[in-house]
């Protein structure tokens, strides 16, 4: 950091919302350009100068942001930071690529390689710290995994040799007539596909049909490469993940302690040789740091800190403040129901009390669980019968009554607390269903969007789950880990984006989709080379790289792994055998590395959640609340 | 335990090798009966009375073993032990089933349900403690997994409802023309298959071809059910596994400590108020417990225990004895080479020394790594060219020279230590290759078995791996965990056996395999119902339940998951739609439960191995050795 007044002003301006928000906007805009650039979604294509103008604006914005950053960072530090260098290089490369594109082709569609680099901006600006951390995690995991990976490739290579020797000279054919293990590269590819299990029994059948003993080769291969090696990959990734997590937590705790220590020394006052912080300073500090905190909450925290009621606290206790502030204390007090305030007599009458008691009773909940279940069965049976369409109205009215009764019983502000997820869920679903029902039945207008809204009602069944403690824990954990999961999802998206752009450059137009094919060529995905291939037979024509949306869907299908070799075959047939490399590299990076990191994260999160004991600070607060 | 003299004699006889070994024999025999019983391997079928006679003998043996056990166990304990009751019930049920079979059918093939129970014997006899422990592990894991499993099924059921609503009325067809999400049960099955990813893009294509938005439904489904739920299953299983492992280790350590304490009190002598054990008692004890231990090793252990050279040890140190005995200390001393003893002059001459020095040099190893690599390339290229067949002789001679040189340099007994796996591997491969080469080239006789021996040479490539430290760790870990892995494999086999027998009872003869089909019916796996089905197209006819071997191979294919719905379809078409249940239950038990337990085990083993610091005792020994 530079510490000049000007630099500090720059820094404040840098971190302000007004400069940060446009930055995010430009990042999204830059990525979103893929929707409208040359291999665009049909009907959304912009002229090339428009998209390039937007991209140019984005580049200027990124450069400006970087210059802004350099104004308050020391020059040496600025150039030693990998992420700044990445961004600078990406900007320069993109600019060169744009100029070359304009000069050479004057707008005819041509290759623009630099688009693959766009995620670099998303990762390397300091706004996306979470994403970058996940990225670092990958890099570190890569180091640990590489040796196992070499062993894995070695194993596949050796088995391929064995397969070539065993089956190469037997003149067998696969079920669609192609030769079986005829050369080393094909054997290698077939066995790599077998690791992913995508061609599982098919690759074995010709040999197995010849002799039962040959199945042993494939069984040993699958046990070693699919089960053992894939588990070892997961183990290495998981082990690395835990280690790095521990290191990160340790570093961040250390940094926090040091900062809190600095703050303590700046604010403390002497008392009998010790340095302590008085109650008034502490309360003032807290009210500055957390201005929205209520008086009661603040005093509770003080009492937790100053357990012996001395009126001051030492350094050790003070450093716990940051943790204390992070703990959510739900402030609850019995607010009177608005109806009680308006008409206390009626609300507190005997009938009203009976109703409220009934609603609070657990049988009320059970009854509506049964109602939801019956509703689900009605939906499953049939919805063309008139009687069942009528029944839907009954259910809707029942749900409405339920919500009204609950609102009558519970205080509305408590009922709609942000933490009461299921109440929100219930209400929103019922309101949407109500609007839907009114719209559909007041007019005969029915669209797919409304159909989609209609089936959302089925989701209401999820509420039954909420009644079982153990199931609720699982859902609660899922909700808790959602933010970190989103980071991992964003990371996978970044890779998808690069691979999609790369695929679009490589395979644009090789395979085409015709919603209602008429000519024979249209039946073959618009490419005569594909005649009779499994790709066409299985109607995979829409899985192509002709725009960013189909490319993304295709990449998701490749991530799911099954049939990936068939999907790959479509592009291998229409271009070149080296196209296999693209699909193999995608599998290695996304499935073996990223999905394993995702699984490792879910694993760790769930195990933590299952075994978590309540932290010391948290239980200290609970003890105080008990008092 | 009963403690009468007779009972103790019985116990000793019970644990003797002479009674245990026949027991294992009968267990294997009982299981192996499936090979020769009615739906037997072609050409191996026995008359029904022969197999039933053998089974009767086995039952008598099991019953006898149980009676023997009851002779020295207290009656109350005997009947409270679950495993004895299991065996008794299994024996009775099997006997009843055999009688019914004989009376009712007089030897015509009929259903013999009790065969499914045979693994009960294998699990419940006290001889197979490891297996039973793994089985208990499953049972405990099951309890933890059940709530997640309910949530998972609930999620699938809800999504199926959604799918029915979304796609049911759109009159779409799959690529082979069958209706698409036409009723709830089909939707449920299709989406369950999608969880396993086996029908991954295919089930989505009709909807996706209609509208790109529909892909969202499937993407959400896959993320939730395939990625999240499958990871959660793994997390729950892994968490349970670790917990039970910890408990088990704790219990066994506690038991060991208590037993050691008892032993100490029986053997100790008083010294200044303390009870201690003198060196002579200790040494006598160790020489009784471990009679094969060398004098030096024993003294080393004593010195480790009695660190302060007091001549006696206390209780705390004594309890460590069991751990000390478990540590393998490799005793190494420089034995003179036999050739040196025979002809010391020649062996120590200058030329000989030079040769030995060269062999010890690491370049010697590098040279032969290159040789192996070149050999692999030669194998990969082609083996019909004459020059390459000649080259194989050169390689064989080179390998032979390498081994002879090594035997000349290193002492043979050290070279062939049991722990030197790679030396053994090298020698055995080369000797086999040598025998092969001699057999093939002295006669023109060539069979598949010899071919198989021939390609074993390729495995020699594994030796290159040994040169890299990190890769060697992975392999070492694999070797270390092999015994426990074998237990898990045995457990999976037990389930395979039951499922195979069950499948043979249910689906015998539905699908038949003809190696060279001639009539149209033989082309349809001998069943006209299968005409035009994917099962026939993909030549899956050999995947049937007509004997225990094909049934096992089929079950392994189902475990690998891919195309399992196609495999299942063959039996659903030829029998009934309820046949799907068999395949779904198999998937739930074997893939979701057992394979996850296996992965959890590999995960834990590898993470332990990677993070293992050397135990305290072990380093104490090392310190002593340094002294």
């Amino acid at each position: 950091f530079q510490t000049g007044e000007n630099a500090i002003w720059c820094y404040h301006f840098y971190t302000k919302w007004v400069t940060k928000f446009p930055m995010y906007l430009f990042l999204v805009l830059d990525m979103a350009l893929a929707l409208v650039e040359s291999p665009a979604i049909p009907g959304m294509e912009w002229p090339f100068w428009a998209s390039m103008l937007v991209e140019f604006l984005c580049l200027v914005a990124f450069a400006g942001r970087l210059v802004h950053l350099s104004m308050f960072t020391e020059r040496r530090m600025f150039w030693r930071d990998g992420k700044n260098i990445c961004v600078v290089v990406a900007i320069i490369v993109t600019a060169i690529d744009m100029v070359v594109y304009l000069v050479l082709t004057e707008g005819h569609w041509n290759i623009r390689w630099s688009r693959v680099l766009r995620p670099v901006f998303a990762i390397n600006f300091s706004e996306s710290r979470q994403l970058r951390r996940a990225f670092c995690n990958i890099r570190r995991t890569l180091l640990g995994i590489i040796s196992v990976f070499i062993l894995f490739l070695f194993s596949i290579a050796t088995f391929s040799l064995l397969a070539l020797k065993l089956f190469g000279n037997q003149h067998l054919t696969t079920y669609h007539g192609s030769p079986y293990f005829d050369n080393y590269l094909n054997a290698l590819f077939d066995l790599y596909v077998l690791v992913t299990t995508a061609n599982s029994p098919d690759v074995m059948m010709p040999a197995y049909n010849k002799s039962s003993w040959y199945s042993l080769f494939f069984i040993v291969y699958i046990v070693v490469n699919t089960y053992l090696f894939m588990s070892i990959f997961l183990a290495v990734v998981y082990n690395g993940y835990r280690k790095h997590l521990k290191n990160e937590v340790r570093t961040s705790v250390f940094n926090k302690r040091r900062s809190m220590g600095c703050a303590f020394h700046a604010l403390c006052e002497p008392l009998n040789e010790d340095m302590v912080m008085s109650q008034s300073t502490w309360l003032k500090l807290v009210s500055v740091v957390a201005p929205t905190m209520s008086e009661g909450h603040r005093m509770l925290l003080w009492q937790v800190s100053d357990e012996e009621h001395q009126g001051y606290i030492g350094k050790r206790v003070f450093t716990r403040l940051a943790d204390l502030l992070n703990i959510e204390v739900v402030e609850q007090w019995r607010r009177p129901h608005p109806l009680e305030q308006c008409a206390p007599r009626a609300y507190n009458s005997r009938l009203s009390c009976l109703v409220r008691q009934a609603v609070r009773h657990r049988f009320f909940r059970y009854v509506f669980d049964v109602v939801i279940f019956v509703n689900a069965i009605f939906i499953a049976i049939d919805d063309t019968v008139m009687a069942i369409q009528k029944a839907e109205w009954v259910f809707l009215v029942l749900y409405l009554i339920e919500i009204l009764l609950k609102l009558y019983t519970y205080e509305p502000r408590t009922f709609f607390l942000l933490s009461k997820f299921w109440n929100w869920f219930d209400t929103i679903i019922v309101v949407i269903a109500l609007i839907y029902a009114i719209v559909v039945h007041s007019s005969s207008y029915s669209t797919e969007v409304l159909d989609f809204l209609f089936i959302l009602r089925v989701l209401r069944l999820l509420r039954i789950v909420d009644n079982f403690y153990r199931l609720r824990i699982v859902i609660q954990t899922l909700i808790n880990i959602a933010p970190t999961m989103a980071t991992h999802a964003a990371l996978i998206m970044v890779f998808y984006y690069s691979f999609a752009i790369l695929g679009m450059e490589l395979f644009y137009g090789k395979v085409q989709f015709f919603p209602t094919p008429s000519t024979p060529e249209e039946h073959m995905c618009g490419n005569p080379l594909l005649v009779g291939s499994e790709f066409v037979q299985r109607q995979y024509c829409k899985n192509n790289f002709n725009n960013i949306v189909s490319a993304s869907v295709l990449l998701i299908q490749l991530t799911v792994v099954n049939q990936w070799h068939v999907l790959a075959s479509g592009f291998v047939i229409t271009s070149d055998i080296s196209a296999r490399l693209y699909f193999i590299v995608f599998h290695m990076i996304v499935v073996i590395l990223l999905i394993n990191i995702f699984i490792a994260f879910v694993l760790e999160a769930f195990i933590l959640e299952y075994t978590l004991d309540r932290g010391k600070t948290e239980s200290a607060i609970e003890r105080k609340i008990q008092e």
Side-chain angles (χ1 to χ4, degrees), chain A:
Chain A
F1 274 129
Q2 293 185 9
T3 44
E5 194 177 323
N6 205 12
I8 287 179
W9 184 86
C10 263
Y11 174 74
H12 274 293
F13 189 61
Y14 187 81
T15 53
K16 275 258 173 61
W17 187 86
V18 73
T19 53
K20 260 182 155 173
F21 179 74
M23 200 60 208
Y24 286 117
L25 204 71
F26 277 116
L27 282 175
V28 170
L29 201 63
D30 193 37
M31 304 279 271
L33 273 180
L35 291 171
V36 295
E37 271 170 346
S38 186
I41 293 170
M44 283 180 69
E45 185 158 352
W46 289 4
F48 80 97
W49 54 264
S51 61
M52 290 198 78
L53 192 68
V54 173
E55 185 162 13
F56 180 70
L57 283 178
C58 289
L59 278 194
V60 169
F62 297 150
R65 182 76 175 165
L66 213 60
V67 169
H68 190 169
L69 176 67
S70 71
M71 280 164 68
F72 60 88
T73 319
E74 273 182 55
R75 182 142 307 177
R76 219 165 49 91
M77 293 302 286
F78 182 81
W79 289 111
R80 275 178 61 190
D81 194 339
K83 56 179 186 285
N84 296 332
I85 294 170
C86 277
V87 173
V88 168
V89 169
I91 290 177
I92 292 172
V93 169
T94 309
I96 292 173
D97 187 47
M98 283 169 75
V99 171
V100 168
Y101 181 78
L102 281 175
V103 171
L104 278 187
T105 66
E106 294 175 316
H108 303 294
W109 188 78
N110 208 313
I111 291 171
R112 278 222 35 219
W113 287 102
S114 70
R115 301 195 296 165
V116 175
L117 293 174
R118 279 183 196 153
V120 168
F121 299 120
I123 293 171
N124 282 303
F125 272 108
S126 51
E127 277 71 25
S128 39
R129 192 168 297 129
Q130 292 289 338
L131 199 60
R132 206 162 47 246
R133 195 174 293 162
F135 207 82
C136 284
N137 200 355
I138 290 183
R139 223 173 42 202
R140 285 199 223 101
T141 310
L142 211 56
L143 288 177
I145 217 173
I146 209 87
S147 63
V148 183
F149 196 75
I150 290 170
L151 197 60
F152 167 68
L153 290 183
F154 179 81
S155 155
I156 293 181
T158 312
F159 270 103
S160 300
L161 259 184
L162 281 167
L164 201 65
K165 280 278 145 184
L166 271 175
F167 311 121
N169 306 325
Q170 310 220 6
H171 309 292
L172 297 171
T173 55
T174 60
Y175 74 96
H176 41 64
S178 48
Y180 188 65
F181 287 107
D182 55 335
N183 69 53
Y184 188 66
L185 281 181
N186 278 345
L188 209 57
F189 183 72
D190 279 344
L191 287 185
Y192 187 83
V193 175
L194 185 54
V195 169
T196 69
T197 77
N199 59 356
S200 159
D202 298 314
V203 77
M204 165 178 148
M205 287 321 289
Y208 181 51
N209 283 337
K210 182 114 195 274
S211 158
S212 295
W213 291 104
Y214 284 138
S215 63
L216 271 179
F217 172 81
F218 292 97
I219 292 171
V220 169
Y221 180 83
I222 285 176
V223 168
V224 170
N225 288 292
T226 306
Y227 289 112
L228 272 182
F229 268 106
M230 291 299 137
S231 309
I232 294 173
F233 279 131
L234 183 58
V236 173
V237 169
Y238 179 56
N239 190 37
Y241 187 84
R242 280 211 300 193
K243 210 169 62 187
H244 300 145
L245 197 74
K246 217 185 277 168
N247 281 344
E248 244 170 45
V249 169
R250 204 178 287 152
T251 317
S252 89
V253 166
F254 176 76
N255 283 339
K256 202 199 283 174
R257 287 246 171 90
R258 214 184 39 184
S259 314
M260 290 303 283
C262 290
F264 182 78
H265 282 295
L267 294 169
C268 63
E269 46 208 80
L271 180 102
N272 318 334
E273 294 179 9
D274 284 341
M275 303 299 280
V276 296
M277 186 180 282
S278 67
Q279 182 172 3
S280 56
T281 322
W282 194 90
L283 287 177
K284 231 181 278 169
L285 177 72
V286 171
S287 62
V288 169
V289 172
T292 55
M293 193 181 279
S294 73
E295 184 71 23
H297 187 176
R298 202 151 54 220
M299 283 312 291
L300 176 69
L301 290 189
W302 171 257
Q303 277 170 26
V304 171
S305 298
D306 180 22
E307 279 190 318
E308 285 149 36
H309 303 290
Q310 296 170 310
Y312 55 84
I313 53 173
K315 184 177 169 185
R316 208 181 50 74
V317 175
F318 177 74
T319 49
R320 258 171 45 193
L321 172 62
D323 300 323
L324 280 177
L325 289 177
N326 277 335
I327 294 169
E328 268 183 49
V329 173
V330 180
E331 295 176 59
Q332 258 182 336
W333 54 90
R334 201 197 159 292
R335 293 192 201 161
H337 197 282
L339 282 179
E340 196 174 355
Q341 290 176 307
C342 302
R345 282 274 293 282
Y347 193 75
N348 290 323
S349 70
R350 200 150 163 226
L351 184 70
S352 166
C353 280
L354 211 70
V355 168
R356 284 190 285 150
Q357 217 171 346
V359 172
R360 280 181 214 274
H361 200 277
R362 69 202 147 98
F363 277 111
F364 182 78
R365 216 177 54 200
Y366 293 162
V367 166
F368 273 93
D369 288 346
V370 171
V371 169
I372 292 173
F373 192 72
V374 172
N375 188 3
I377 292 171
F378 269 69
I379 291 174
I381 300 170
D382 199 351
D383 62 349
T384 49
V385 185
M386 245 355 239
I388 287 175
Q389 286 193 350
K390 285 267 157 37
E392 281 169 0
W393 280 98
V394 176
F395 285 117
L396 197 54
V397 169
L398 277 176
Y399 292 152
L400 213 59
I401 290 174
E402 185 201 3
I403 288 185
L404 290 178
L405 276 177
K406 279 190 170 172
L407 279 177
Y408 181 76
T409 311
Y410 301 107
E411 207 277 324
R413 274 165 297 179
T414 321
F415 188 73
F416 284 122
L417 270 181
L418 264 180
S419 55
K420 304 241 164 149
F421 173 75
W422 290 103
N423 291 344
W424 280 96
F425 184 81
D426 269 5
T427 315
I428 290 171
I429 293 286
V430 168
V431 167
I432 288 175
L434 195 68
I435 294 170
Y436 166 75
I438 291 168
V439 170
V440 165
H441 286 264
S442 63
S443 67
S444 58
Y445 181 68
S446 172
T447 67
E448 281 187 356
V449 178
L450 281 175
D451 254 357
F452 196 78
L453 276 179
F454 184 71
I455 41 180
L456 271 178
R457 274 191 328 169
V458 179
L459 285 180
R460 211 161 172 288
L461 277 175
L462 272 177
R463 235 193 29 173
I464 296 181
V465 172
D466 200 40
N467 293 338
F468 299 96
Y469 172 71
R470 291 192 70 114
L471 301 187
R472 212 166 45 214
I473 286 186
V474 173
I475 290 198
Q476 197 55 49
T477 309
L478 280 179
I479 293 171
N480 287 349
I481 66 178
T484 323
M485 218 144 72
T487 308
H488 281 86
L491 189 72
I492 293 178
M493 299 262 203
V494 161
F495 277 90
Y496 274 2
Y497 190 86
S498 290
F499 269 103
I501 296 279
L502 190 63
M504 280 155 72
E505 305 285 17
L506 289 172
F507 306 118
Y508 172 76
K510 301 279 184 195
V511 172
Q512 282 167 308
F513 174 64
F514 302 93
T516 48
S518 48
T519 66
E521 197 181 308
E522 289 187 359
H523 272 288
M524 290 166 226
C525 306
N527 197 324
L529 286 170
L530 284 170
V531 62
S533 66
E534 209 178 340
F535 191 86
V536 169
Q537 274 171 27
R538 291 184 171 252
Q539 302 176 351
Y540 286 169
C541 301
K542 205 174 180 180
N543 297 321
N544 55 42
F545 285 101
N546 297 353
N547 63 59
I548 188 96
V549 172
S550 11
S552 304
V553 173
L554 175 52
L555 292 182
I556 290 172
Q557 292 177 10
L558 290 177
T559 310
V560 178
V561 169
N562 198 57
Q563 300 288 8
W564 74 275
H565 60 301
V566 177
L567 292 166
S569 77
F571 300 94
V572 169
I573 293 169
T574 54
S575 57
D576 186 65
I577 195 140
S578 59
R580 279 177 179 172
L581 264 182
Y582 173 85
F583 294 93
I584 291 180
V585 169
F586 179 82
H587 180 266
M588 284 175 178
I589 293 183
V590 173
V591 179
I592 297 190
L593 192 63
L594 293 186
I595 294 294
N596 270 335
I597 289 180
F598 176 80
I599 294 177
F601 156 70
V602 174
L603 224 62
E604 186 61 20
F606 261 84
I607 288 176
L608 262 182
E609 202 74 20
Y610 270 118
T611 56
L612 200 67
D613 293 321
R614 290 171 168 209
K616 270 187 189 167
T617 330
E618 217 152 332
S619 40
I621 289 202
E622 270 169 15
R623 226 182 307 123
K624 276 285 163 189
I625 291 175
Q626 299 293 330
E627 290 170 10

